[in-house]
Amino acid sequence: MSWMTDNPLDLDSLLQETDDDTCGALVVFAGTVRNHHEGKAVSGMSYSAYKPMADRVLRELEQETLARYPVEQCRIMHRTGDLVIGEASVLVVVRSHHRADAFDAARYAIDTLKMRLPVWKHDMYTDGSTAYQDGVPLEDPPASGARAKED
Amino acid sequence: MSWMTDNPLDLDSLLQETDDDTCGALVVFAGTVRNHHEGKAVSGMSYSAYKPMADRVLRELEQETLARYPVEQCRIMHRTGDLVIGEASVLVVVRSHHRADAFDAARYAIDTLKMRLPVWKHDMYTDGSTAYQDGVPLEDPPASGARAKED
Amino acid sequence: MLVVEFYGVLQQVAGAKSLKLEAEQASLTVDEALELLRQQMPGLAEHLPRVACAQADQLVRRDQPLDPEQPLVLLPPVSGGCGRQA
Amino acid sequence: MLVVEFYGVLQQVAGAKSLKLEAEQASLTVDEALELLRQQMPGLAEHLPRVACAQADQLVRRDQPLDPEQPLVLLPPVSGGCGRQA
């Protein structure tokens, strides 16, 4: 299994990986590159990552999603490198018995990913300029001995 | 565009149909045939529909979803005929600017579909028996002159 | 004469996809047609309270008059999508 | 000596992907390393309050001692997924 990749994300292979005859509900979330950002026309986007940590964050987020929600399958992949308009930067695939759980779990996975995944977006605008998008500061790990708060 | 079909549902063609460079969020819901129902092992499923009304219900549900939620694209297709385990019976595809809206809209579409779409599921069990699944009675249309309640 | 079409479990109960209802009046309401149907096919009676009725692509209320040129379509409780909860 | 690696906008600000930090002590805490970095590259100062630090695949707190064998990785606010709200 892989989590971070320089290659175009392949939904079909994630659907095959998560194939599960016990599940009646499948929810997919994809983030795709938009043609605009804060009023400026975007020509493309470049994602960079701190890969050693990013792979671990996604692997653990899959496990955490499976533990927090009654869902049977959860896979997450994130793209790095140069993307054109319309290409997917992230895919979340969840399968469950009941559809409400699949929706909740997929939403949790993408919301949490955006707070934890060490990935940076570099916008390329049609006027030739570029800019790193500001984002969410990563939270410090809990002090040793202390346990992470469960909410 | 088609809504009810006897052919296997094709996610790729719905993704192409809804392609929209202004959207950064895509949510897909698929209902798939499970291998069990209320403790009995299922070998397959047959869906029948009252097609003249079913096509209209899905077409209107797409429009209603687009009107109720700030989403740019909504497509819904439902399968009829004999399905094997794992095949998709329904696909909902929503694209929006903001991901929360895509999740909300896709959920509304599938929840509402299950109350309005004249489709019936006939389970085929591995022991050779079959059974129509009970479902949700369709609601009567409002009395003429009265307006449908908006909630 | 009015054609009545059955869907879902009603096809099983009626043992047919449709039948012809002989009516004395030229025009019937949905309620009147269902009452005739109940007399002609008593096995359907227990299903009728949860059945919706349609003509062409529209649902019709029980008090509405039927278009005698179009079949009356009987729609039992629906189970589209996926599993009952999936 | 400690290797410091930059990611995201910090590569732009630092004008490099990494640098070597000369330290007198053999072992530094994260805070001590960031203070040396601030002295050596004042342009980074305004970014440091919102930067997270990592070694290998784990985040490290500001009060933790660093493994001098591993690079100190500076991670600015993250923007994975898709648009800020998408």
Side-chain angles (χ1 to χ4, degrees), chain A residues 31 38 47 49-50 52-53 56 78 89 114 117-121 132 134-136 138-139 141-144, chain D residues 7-9 12 50 52 54 56-62 73 75-84 86:
Chain A
E38 291 178 357
Y47 284 90
Y50 177 47
M53 189 175 129
R56 178 184 64 76
H78 199 293
S89 53
K114 293 177 81 85
L117 190 67
V119 163
W120 301 276
K121 186 160 33 186
Y132 279 99
D134 193 21
V136 183
L138 289 169
E139 275 182 37
S144 55
Chain D
Y7 280 86
V9 70
Q12 205 171 50
R50 296 177 74 222
D57 69 350
Q58 297 289 338
L59 290 177
V60 287
R61 291 192 323 281
R62 298 283 171 120
V73 182
L75 310 171
V78 298
S79 52
C82 25
R84 205 170 309 167

